[in-house]
Amino acid sequence: AQSVSQHNHHVILSEAASLELGCNYSYGGTVNLFWYVQYPGQHLQLLLKYFSGDPLVKGIKGFEAEFIKSKFSFNLRKPSVQWSDTAEYFCAVNSAGGSYIPTFGRGTSLIVHP
Amino acid sequence: NAGVMQNPRHLVRRRGQEARLRCSPMKGHSHVYWYRQLPEEGLKFMVYLQKENIIDESGMPKERFSAEFPKEGPSILRIQQVVRGDSAAYFCASSRQGRAFTEAFFGQGTRLTVV
């Protein structure tokens, strides 16, 4: 069975600080990887995804994530956060060609102070 | 994409009562997924439905929980005889196609509180 670990449960940053949220998964086969964001009071939205190809994936709002297969990781980064990035961030994985239903991590709550 | 509508947004039930959570998918979407988020835990998959069919219910508790997605109307997640441990946020997502989760869109969730 696949599983996802998000190590940072709560992150507090000041505006303009750099962000990196960790995500590790456990699954022996080929995977698809996702980051979702949930802004306060809103629904989950897809931030970015990795299926294949370039392991550095760029998403919306200046976010990017890098797939490192040898480390089973898919960390989310942003060079300079804004107050509007305050949200809950979820990493998810599904097995390519297998169970297409993603497994989600616990989530990371990000608070950005102006 | 505010098209996936969940209601109610907040639901309070006493222990032993029934809870009914509704999910209206986006127009043109015939696949619905239900997830549960317990406090301090991630989103846990519960069930995947197509119109009039349950495709995958591997995440559903064996007792008290059921789900349906009729030909007409919203998908319903039903929890009978609720207990305090059922308190959680319940999210649904819908997609136009099956096996294409990245095209799925989430609702805002229903927060169930059992008192």
Side-chain angles (χ1 to χ4, degrees):
Chain A
Q2 56 206 24
S3 66
V4 179
S5 295
Q6 291 183 243
H7 315 295
N8 319 103
H9 298 149
H10 301 279
V11 174
I12 301 174
L13 295 173
S14 298
E15 274 194 319
S18 63
L19 170 72
E20 180 159 3
L21 301 182
C23 173
N24 287 89
Y25 66 93
S26 65
Y27 182 71
T30 304
V31 294
N32 300 318
L33 297 151
F34 312 86
W35 274 98
Y36 283 83
V37 60
Q38 184 178 29
Y39 298 104
Q42 297 188 27
H43 52 273
L44 273 80
Q45 304 172 43
L46 183 66
L47 204 52
L48 48 76
K49 63 188 178 186
Y50 172 81
F51 277 12
S52 62
D54 189 343
L56 185 62
V57 180
K58 295 198 183 295
I60 60 172
K61 304 187 181 186
F63 285 91
E64 65 178 30
E66 185 175 12
F67 171 49
I68 303 179
K69 189 174 181 180
S70 61
K71 295 184 178 180
F72 297 89
S73 69
F74 190 55
N75 292 354
L76 181 71
R77 299 195 294 248
K78 185 170 183 178
S80 177
V81 295
Q82 300 173 312
W83 173 77
S84 57
D85 293 324
T86 294
E88 192 92 15
Y89 292 82
F90 295 92
C91 181
V93 60
N94 72 353
S95 53
S99 171
Y100 45 89
I101 300 168
T103 299
F104 282 82
R106 177 176 157 174
T108 297
S109 172
L110 172 66
I111 296 175
V112 179
H113 289 302
Chain B
N1 56 54
V4 179
M5 303 300 295
Q6 287 188 250
N7 67 81
R9 291 289 308 281
H10 300 275
L11 181 62
V12 180
R13 284 287 177 267
R14 296 186 185 280
R15 280 179 294 172
Q17 291 185 319
E18 179 179 280
R20 285 195 182 197
L21 288 62
R22 296 175 187 78
C23 171
S24 297
M26 285 185 70
K27 187 176 180 180
H29 287 193
S30 58
H31 301 259
V32 167
Y33 314 79
W34 283 95
Y35 280 80
R36 174 168 64 173
Q37 184 179 25
L38 293 164
E40 300 300 314
E41 294 189 28
L43 288 158
K44 303 292 186 186
F45 166 73
M46 300 183 75
V47 62
Y48 162 43
L49 309 106
Q50 267 182 280
K51 288 276 187 181
E52 301 183 280
N53 284 305
I54 296 175
I55 307 301
D56 185 336
E57 56 181 348
S58 58
M60 285 280 269
K62 294 289 183 279
E63 297 176 347
R64 302 187 297 107
F65 285 73
S66 62
E68 62 178 12
F69 189 15
K71 187 176 180 181
E72 302 290 337
S75 175
I76 306 287
L77 180 67
R78 184 182 291 108
I79 310 172
Q80 296 177 304
Q81 298 176 313
V82 296
V83 300
R84 288 237 170 94
D86 297 332
S87 295
Y90 292 81
F91 292 93
C92 85
S94 73
S95 67
R96 187 181 300 276
Q97 302 171 0
R99 298 181 179 268
F101 197 83
T102 58
E103 295 180 6
F105 298 92
F106 279 85
Q108 290 182 290
T110 293
R111 192 161 297 277
L112 171 66
T113 302
V114 180
V115 297

